[in-house]
Amino acid sequence: MRRISPSAACAAALLLGVSNAVAQSGSVEKAVGGYGFEEAAKEATGTKDFHSADGHLTFAIVTHTAGNGFFDPVYVGATVAGNLIGAKILLLGSESPTDDPARAIEILNQIVQDPTIDGLIMTTPQVGAYNDIVKAAEAAGIPVATTNSFDGTILDRSAISHTGQDASAAAIAGEALVKCLADKGIEKGSIVLPSSTAMGNIEVNNRVTSAFNAIVKGLKDAGKLDAFKVDAGPENTGIDTNPNDPVSGIVTLFESRGDVVGAFAGNNVFTPALAKAVAQTGMTGKICAYGFDLGPAQQDALKSGDLTGALGQQPFLQGFWPVMQLYLQIDRGIAAANLDTRAQLVTQETVATVGKRFEN
């Protein structure tokens, strides 16, 4: 057994003491202003009685399509945030599986009159349609936050937080599509971007434009643009396709071109339809097909190979952050702060990791 000399033991103890002192020397026990952090971190006395004065906060979140699964993680995120702050969250939205702003606005006009509501979160896909709702909420003293789709013209925009993915993120899919063509050794053909401006969703239009620009740039940088025909319609917002029968529309588009090697769809209506059209025309694995959102239909299509890739908006954050933002406005007086949820490119190789905690 090795013996340790008393002097060595004392030296070790001294060094240990110095080490512990150094480790603690940067700790901060109170604010420069003299108050304690524990006390300052407590919720304000009147927060739970804000507006409705019923002893708890109630926030409503209203989306424009609760019927297709995309907003499920949004509702989960809002619920998680509500649980953290002890707030009740009303999960509301159009029952339609496709975009239905009119129904969402109907729900909003009802809920903004509810005296138990302390905060309102809403999607805003129809530009210019929400000012009366904001006016009513402000008149009632209810703070508003928007999420997912962005209306830059909304009343008091700078005072209303927005959580969502900037449409420019669609460029990620455009870049991936160009790489996919190169990986497959495809040297020519048509690349189509079907959509419908009739749906009135400016975000989708901007996504298609961003993807189109990225595809054109990628092909141009590779010196191959002349070999491909990239078509996103006359305004680069999408080739007009019937949103009420998108599968048939895309199949017809494929058949009319005869040489489609790539495609991009910008929302939850046309992406599942694109996958079905790829399968129906026997083009699975033969073309580069990219879309948007990561709902059940998109995940199934990625697994089968009918979709090459899809962009997720990290929608959990689109429910979680607006709730927290409204709480911070009420409890801390913190001004509206925006959050860009960015994009997550998912492929057949990575789709199995999606949705493990209901986050995508």
Side-chain angles (χ1 to χ4, degrees):
M1 179 176 178
R2 184 179 178 185
R3 300 178 67 85
I4 301 176
S5 69
S7 59
C10 289
L14 181 60
L15 287 173
L16 180 61
V18 170
S19 176
N20 286 338
V22 171
Q24 299 298 321
S25 66
S27 64
V28 180
E29 296 181 358
K30 64 179 181 179
V32 175
Y35 59 82
F37 294 117
E38 287 297 324
E39 183 65 26
K42 293 179 181 179
E43 184 177 87
T45 303
T47 293
K48 288 290 194 291
D49 283 321
F50 175 80
H51 186 252
S52 61
D54 57 5
H56 67 271
L57 292 173
T58 300
F59 296 156
I61 179 167
V62 183
T63 76
H64 57 276
T65 169
N68 61 33
F70 169 81
F71 282 106
D72 288 351
V74 176
Y75 295 136
V76 173
T79 302
V80 170
N83 290 343
L84 288 174
I85 62 174
K88 181 180 180 180
I89 309 297
L90 303 182
L91 309 177
L92 307 168
S94 166
E95 303 85 351
S96 173
T98 60
D99 289 1
D100 190 359
R103 173 60 177 146
I105 290 170
E106 180 183 332
I107 296 170
L108 285 164
N109 281 320
Q110 293 173 349
I111 203 70
V112 78
Q113 305 300 325
D114 188 336
T116 68
I117 297 299
D118 299 296
L120 177 62
I121 301 161
M122 60 183 180
T123 60
T124 55
Q126 190 170 322
V127 173
Y130 307 93
N131 287 347
D132 288 344
I133 294 165
V134 173
K135 286 179 183 178
E138 289 181 347
I142 301 171
V144 175
T146 63
T147 193
N148 183 253
S149 48
F150 181 73
D151 179 0
T153 70
I154 200 169
L155 182 69
D156 291 339
R157 176 75 273 176
S158 60
I160 296 175
S161 73
H162 180 72
T163 303
Q165 179 190 67
D166 189 271
S168 62
I172 295 172
E175 293 163 359
L177 192 153
V178 173
K179 184 178 184 300
C180 172
L181 294 172
D183 291 345
K184 289 181 178 293
I186 298 173
E187 297 292 333
K188 61 180 181 178
S190 292
I191 301 169
V192 295
L193 292 82
S195 193
S196 173
T197 57
M199 298 178 70
N201 192 325
I202 189 67
E203 283 292 294
V204 175
N205 300 345
N206 291 339
R207 287 176 192 165
V208 175
T209 301
S210 294
F212 170 83
N213 289 336
I215 293 167
V216 169
K217 182 181 184 301
L219 292 173
K220 185 176 181 180
D221 290 347
K224 297 181 178 181
L225 182 57
D226 291 341
F228 292 88
K229 181 179 180 181
V230 187
D231 189 355
E235 303 295 328
N236 296 334
T237 55
I239 301 170
D240 188 39
T241 307
N242 184 0
N244 296 314
D245 191 7
V247 178
S248 295
I250 296 174
V251 169
T252 299
L253 179 61
F254 284 179
E255 292 174 345
S256 66
R257 299 302 168 92
D259 65 343
V260 173
V261 295
F264 170 82
N267 67 358
N268 200 38
V269 174
F270 286 99
T271 298
L274 171 60
K276 290 180 180 178
V278 168
Q280 286 185 22
T281 55
M283 300 172 76
T284 302
K286 299 176 182 178
I287 72 169
C288 298
Y290 287 80
F292 239 84
D293 299 337
L294 296 171
Q298 285 89 329
Q299 292 185 43
D300 288 343
L302 288 167
K303 292 172 184 175
S304 68
D306 296 329
L307 274 182
T308 313
L311 289 182
Q313 302 183 51
Q314 305 196 94
F316 181 95
L317 289 172
Q318 295 181 9
F320 182 88
W321 176 246
V323 170
M324 298 305 293
Q325 174 61 50
L326 290 181
Y327 176 75
L328 291 174
Q329 287 179 237
I330 293 168
D331 186 63
R332 297 281 162 179
I334 292 176
N338 298 337
L339 177 68
D340 182 356
T341 58
R342 304 290 289 166
Q344 177 185 23
L345 177 63
V346 176
T347 65
Q348 189 176 48
E349 291 73 29
T350 60
V351 66
T353 66
V354 173
K356 292 293 186 183
R357 288 283 293 158
F358 311 100
E359 72 275 24
N360 291 298

